[in-house]
Amino acid sequence: MTEIDEEVVAVETGDATLLYDYFKHLTSLCIVSLGGVLALLPNAKGFPPGLIAAVLVVLSGAALLSFSGAAEIVRTRFKGLPLGKGVDFYRITAPMLLAVGVGMFVYLFTWTLKA
């Protein structure tokens, strides 16, 4: 392997490590947000059940996508393959779903403060 090849491998490995950490932290944020929603449920008098279900589905989707992104990185590194294009989908979609889910969570939280 030449020096240039070694540098390319080092950059790809570094990028994958950074992306793996990103997905790992994103998954943690999703789980904490899900816990926050579930903690609000005892005070959920008057909440539309569909809204609570929607928040749980959106945050669960974000958690699933971010965990899938981390799993894809582990799978490709274990097999010695380059990162697939699916990782970009996970990288873009998971934080968008998390942002929407956290926005819905904040709405529910402010609703409990009014009651």
Side-chain angles (χ1 to χ4, degrees):
M1 202 182 263
T2 66
E3 288 181 27
I4 294 173
D5 291 337
E6 289 174 359
E7 288 177 12
V8 169
V9 170
V11 168
E12 287 180 358
T13 304
D15 290 345
T17 303
L18 180 66
L19 197 55
Y20 176 80
D21 285 343
Y22 173 72
F23 282 131
K24 183 175 62 173
H25 292 294
L26 199 60
T27 303
S28 298
L29 287 172
C30 292
I31 291 171
V32 168
S33 298
L34 280 168
V37 172
L38 294 175
L40 285 179
L41 289 182
N43 299 330
K45 299 173 183 114
F47 282 174
L51 182 60
I52 294 171
V55 173
L56 291 174
V57 166
V58 170
L59 287 174
S60 297
L64 181 65
L65 289 174
S66 59
F67 186 77
S68 297
E72 180 69 15
I73 291 171
V74 170
R75 185 186 69 78
T76 57
R77 289 297 164 226
F78 182 73
K79 293 184 177 183
L81 301 172
L83 287 177
K85 293 185 181 186
V87 173
D88 279 337
F89 172 76
Y90 299 137
R91 182 181 56 82
I92 294 167
T93 309
M96 286 174 44
L97 285 177
L98 178 61
V100 170
V102 168
M104 295 167 79
F105 169 71
V106 169
Y107 176 74
L108 289 178
F109 181 73
T110 56
W111 188 332
T112 61
L113 293 177
K114 287 191 237 178

